[in-house]
């Protein structure tokens, strides 16, 4: 199952779960009758219902946008779910209290309420722990204490079945606190101070806004716990915890917006740099009549891993390059810049006369320190403008399409060499092509042939050739435009998954 499908399933399941809890609370309230409920009960139940609605909206928002809390979102969701179950059980405790036929449900509901207290404290500890790097011994001991404490708390709750230590529900289904009730808050207080200690000790690893909202979450329910110990009939703990979670989400949202704005700015700068690095002024060298040349690139993201290049090596030789870096986004774009620079510099040095030798030298340099294991497919051609001789080498790239004068475009197949940066010590095969006046060569990346429509069909080589052969004598710019229009019509509204890059050259001869 894809990640997107899992998110949709989680969203549906969570909505059903929360709506069920809310419906049960509303149904029990209507069945009990509002007129029969004391005002303090109505206040508590109203707060619980409001908290459940907030929980539904918050959970759905988090599932829809998984980046709000980062990679540790699952701990936040565990905490949120536990608090929502606590809200439900709190509302149920008031609604079932004194309803003799439903005594069993009253007992179960109160046990559920008591379980949620240590569970919520434990999940918050886990969530905070996931935000910092932990290596010191004191944290390990404290973490063991937290795990042992939650187990002991749960065992004490289970033991209440026999000891009546925390509470009892009498024959009339009326709940009574017993002498051990304050002990039920012990783990929550231990977890509270332990988490504060962790936040204070590791504060340098946290942003200021994180410290503030985490401490607020811890401190705000403390007053509710004190009130619950002193005043029977007032339970604000879970409502305040939900409010704190909502505030936490809002602050994270604002922080994410700020970080996203910075990231968008950096991406825009990177895109602008990439756009200015690739040659985009056409016609290229308009005073040279031996050739017509046009190239374009449309990245799938703000920045791409594809690139093309062309430049004069000397007065009579023109270099043509097209390449595709594995991966997408900033890493691919950075690797692209390195590969492009190496290919151009090593071609211009004059140390290597053959395209295969140039790619071999580039390969050795790209393999150095390539810890991300990126690789580059590349096609490099060197055209002698006097003779029309085109020497080329292919490093795992797509086959070029050739159109002889007044004929049709056909794929020029040759034996591939491996991509650049895949392995050290590779020798790259070369080839040669005699171009006559009027001949056209078209090179491209796999973003052209693998453009995919909503039915998951590929644009493929046949459709690309059909587009080129629609009017093979058209200008090189018009050929580029025709292929792009055909791709756009084929793909429709389907998203673009790969960079689309093309380079087209027509040899006019040296007349």
């Amino acid at each position: 199952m894809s990640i997107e499908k899992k998110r949709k399933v989680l969203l549906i399941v969570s909505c059903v779960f929360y709506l069920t809890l809310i419906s049960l609370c509303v149904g029990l309230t209507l069945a009990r009758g509002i007129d029969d409920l004391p005002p303090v009960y109505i206040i508590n139940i109203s707060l619980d219902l409001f908290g459940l609605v907030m929980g539904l909206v918050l959970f759905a928002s988090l599932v829809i946008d998984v980046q709000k809390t980062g990679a540790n979102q699952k701990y936040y969701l565990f905490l949120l779910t536990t608090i929502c179950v606590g809200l439900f059980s709190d509302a149920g405790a008031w609604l079932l209290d004194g309803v003799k036929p439903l005594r069993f449900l009253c007992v179960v509901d109160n046990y559920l309420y008591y379980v949620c207290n240590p569970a919520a404290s434990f999940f918050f500890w886990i969530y905070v722990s996931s935000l910092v790097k932990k290596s010191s011994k004191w944290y390990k001991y404290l973490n063991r204490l937290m795990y042992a404490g939650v187990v002991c708390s749960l065992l004490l709750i289970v033991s209440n079945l026999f000891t009546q230590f925390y509470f009892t529900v009498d024959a009339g289904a009326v709940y009574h606190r017993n002498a051990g009730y304050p002990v039920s808050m012990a783990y929550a207080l231990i977890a509270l101070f332990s988490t504060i200690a962790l936040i204070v000790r590791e504060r340098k690893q946290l942003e200021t806004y994180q410290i503030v909202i985490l401490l607020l979450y811890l401190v705000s329910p403390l007053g509710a716990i004190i009130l619950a110990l002193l005043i029977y009939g007032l339970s604000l703990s879970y409502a305040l915890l939900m409010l704190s979670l909502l505030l936490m989400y809002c602050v994270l949202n604002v922080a994410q917006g700020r970080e996203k704005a910075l990231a968008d700015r950096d991406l825009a700068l990177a895109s602008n740099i990439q756009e200015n690095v690739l040659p985009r002024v056409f016609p290229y060298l308009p005073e040279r009549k031996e050739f017509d040349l046009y190239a374009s690139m449309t990245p799938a993201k703000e920045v791409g891993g594809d690139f093309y290049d062309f430049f004069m090596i000397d007065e009579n030789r023109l270099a043509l390059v097209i390449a595709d870096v594995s991966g997408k986004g900033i890493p691919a774009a950075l690797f692209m810049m390195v590969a492009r620079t190496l290919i151009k510099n090593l071609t211009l040095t004059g140390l290597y006369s053959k395209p295969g030798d140039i790619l071999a030298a580039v390969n050795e340099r790209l393999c150095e320190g390539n810890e991300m294991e990126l690789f580059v497919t590349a096609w490099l051609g060197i055209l002698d403008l006097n003779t029309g001789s085109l020497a080329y080498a292919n490093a795992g790239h797509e086959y070029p399409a050739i159109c002889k004068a007044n004929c049709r475009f056909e794929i020029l197949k040759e034996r591939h060499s491996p991509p650049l940066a895949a392995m050290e010590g590779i020798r790259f095969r070369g080839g040669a092509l005699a171009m006559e006046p009027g001949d056209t060569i078209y090179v491209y990346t796999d973003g052209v042939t693998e453009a995919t429509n909503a039915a998951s069909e590929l644009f493929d080589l046949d459709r690309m050739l059909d587009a080129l052969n629609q009017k093979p004598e058209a200008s090189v710019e018009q050929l580029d435009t025709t292929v792009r229009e055909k791709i756009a019509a084929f793909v429709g509204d389907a998203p673009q998954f790969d960079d689309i890059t093309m380079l087209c050259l027509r040899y006019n001869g040296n007349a």
Side-chain angles (χ1 to χ4, degrees):
M1 187 183 293
S2 66
I3 294 175
E4 192 65 30
K5 280 189 174 181
K6 287 181 178 179
R7 285 172 57 192
K8 288 181 180 178
V9 170
L10 180 58
L11 180 61
I12 293 171
V13 171
S14 62
C15 287
V16 171
F17 174 72
Y18 279 89
L19 289 173
T20 300
L21 296 184
I22 293 169
S23 300
L24 287 172
C25 286
V26 173
L28 283 171
T29 302
L30 294 176
R32 178 76 184 263
I34 297 178
D35 294 338
D36 294 335
L37 292 171
V40 70
Y41 282 28
I42 295 174
I43 293 172
N44 288 324
I45 294 167
S46 299
L47 289 173
D48 292 333
L49 278 171
F50 182 68
L52 284 171
V53 173
M54 282 197 299
L56 169 61
V57 174
L58 187 51
F59 198 105
S61 300
L62 286 164
V63 174
I64 291 170
D65 189 349
V66 296
Q67 295 183 351
K68 289 291 187 291
T69 55
N72 50 6
Q73 185 202 43
K74 60 182 179 181
Y75 305 120
Y76 188 95
L77 292 178
F78 288 156
L79 176 61
L80 175 60
T81 303
T82 304
I83 291 174
C84 284
V85 173
L87 286 165
F88 170 74
S89 61
D90 183 65
W94 302 117
L95 288 168
L96 296 170
D97 193 53
V99 182
K100 190 174 181 180
L102 300 179
R103 180 182 179 277
F104 176 75
L105 289 179
C106 183
V107 173
V108 172
D109 182 81
N110 277 284
Y111 274 102
L112 184 61
Y113 178 84
Y114 275 79
V115 166
C116 288
N117 189 355
S121 301
F122 176 74
F123 284 133
F124 187 70
W125 165 261
I126 296 296
Y127 175 67
V128 175
S129 298
S130 69
L131 297 175
V132 297
K133 295 179 181 179
K134 296 83 60 178
S135 57
S136 56
K137 288 185 178 180
W138 78 269
Y139 168 77
K140 293 179 181 178
Y141 291 134
L142 200 57
N143 194 47
R144 289 173 186 170
L145 173 65
M146 295 302 296
Y147 274 88
V150 73
V151 171
C152 291
S153 295
L154 294 175
L155 289 176
L156 282 172
I157 293 168
V158 172
S159 70
N160 188 77
L161 287 167
F162 313 102
T163 64
Q164 311 294 298
F165 183 61
Y166 288 146
F167 70 93
T168 56
V169 178
D170 62 25
V174 176
Y175 167 85
H176 299 279
R177 286 182 185 173
N178 292 337
Y181 174 78
V183 179
S184 67
M185 301 293 184
Y187 180 77
L189 292 172
I190 292 171
L192 185 149
F193 291 114
S194 298
T195 309
I196 289 175
L198 178 63
I199 292 170
V200 172
R201 187 178 178 91
E202 304 297 343
R203 61 188 180 278
K204 292 182 179 179
Q205 297 187 46
L206 298 169
E207 299 288 345
T208 303
Y209 72 87
Q210 289 178 311
I211 296 173
V212 171
I213 59 175
L214 292 175
L215 290 177
L216 179 63
Y217 175 93
L218 290 167
V219 173
S220 61
L222 187 59
I225 292 174
I226 294 171
L227 286 174
L229 289 171
L230 299 176
I231 306 172
Y232 176 72
L234 191 63
S235 56
L236 302 176
S237 299
Y238 288 117
L240 286 175
L241 288 174
M242 179 57 71
L243 189 61
S244 299
L245 280 183
L246 184 63
L247 178 61
M248 189 184 301
Y249 172 81
C250 293
V251 173
L252 289 169
N253 233 353
V254 171
Q256 185 203 34
R258 182 189 64 185
E259 292 168 2
K260 187 177 185 301
L262 293 173
D264 288 345
R265 183 200 64 184
D266 292 343
L267 280 174
L269 289 172
S271 179
N272 188 48
I273 291 170
Q274 186 178 56
E275 183 176 349
N276 290 318
V277 163
L278 299 181
R280 290 182 180 272
V281 178
F282 300 100
Y284 173 61
L285 300 179
E287 69 277 8
R288 302 297 298 252
K289 305 302 180 183
E290 299 99 320
F291 64 90
D292 294 320
L293 175 64
Y294 191 81
S296 64
M297 185 190 78
T298 305
K301 295 187 176 182
E302 288 82 355
V303 290
D306 286 8
F307 69 92
Y308 63 81
D309 203 0
F310 44 83
F311 49 90
M312 296 297 297
I313 302 173
D314 52 36
E315 185 64 24
N316 296 312
R317 290 186 300 159
L318 171 67
L320 306 170
V321 185
I322 192 164
D324 183 2
V325 178
S326 62
K328 301 288 184 297
I330 295 294
L334 292 174
F335 205 69
M336 176 274 280
M337 298 283 283
V338 174
R340 176 184 175 274
T341 302
L342 284 172
I343 291 174
K344 185 170 186 176
N345 289 348
L346 290 174
T347 301
L348 291 173
T349 59
L351 297 175
Y352 311 96
S353 58
K354 297 179 180 180
D357 294 339
I358 295 171
L359 292 184
V362 171
N363 179 68
E364 294 305 306
R365 288 161 175 78
L366 287 177
C367 285
E368 295 175 4
N370 184 17
E371 295 180 0
M372 294 185 66
E373 298 183 349
L374 296 172
F375 60 86
V376 188
T377 67
W379 185 92
L380 169 63
I382 298 177
L383 175 65
D384 189 315
L385 299 178
N386 284 330
T387 65
S389 175
L390 176 65
Y392 61 85
N394 192 328
H397 200 71
E398 306 300 307
Y399 298 124
I402 302 294
C403 178
K404 305 301 286 184
N406 301 319
C407 292
R408 294 174 60 81
F409 277 94
E410 296 179 349
I411 297 298
L412 175 64
K413 292 189 175 182
E414 74 266 322
R415 295 177 65 187
H416 275 166
S417 297
L420 299 172
M423 185 186 306
E424 295 179 347
I426 298 175
R427 298 182 62 183
F428 292 87
R429 299 184 181 90
L433 179 68
M435 297 192 71
E436 302 292 336
D439 290 356
T440 307
I441 184 167
Y442 171 85
V443 288
Y444 53 95
T445 60
D446 60 6
V448 174
T449 54
E450 295 180 4
T452 308
N453 63 15
S456 298
E457 298 173 323
L458 299 180
F459 187 68
D460 69 34
L461 278 174
D462 291 337
R463 289 186 176 88
M464 184 191 78
L465 290 174
D466 288 343
L468 291 169
N469 289 320
Q470 183 173 307
K471 197 174 181 181
E473 71 280 5
S475 68
V476 289
E477 182 176 358
Q478 185 57 49
L479 288 170
D480 182 288
T481 301
T482 300
V483 175
R484 289 188 175 278
E485 289 176 348
K486 292 293 184 181
I487 291 174
F490 174 79
V491 170
D493 295 331
Q496 180 184 339
F497 291 107
D498 203 357
D499 306 331
I500 296 175
T501 307
M502 298 179 271
L503 186 151
C504 192
L505 176 136
R506 177 168 290 139
Y507 179 62
N508 299 322
N510 190 20

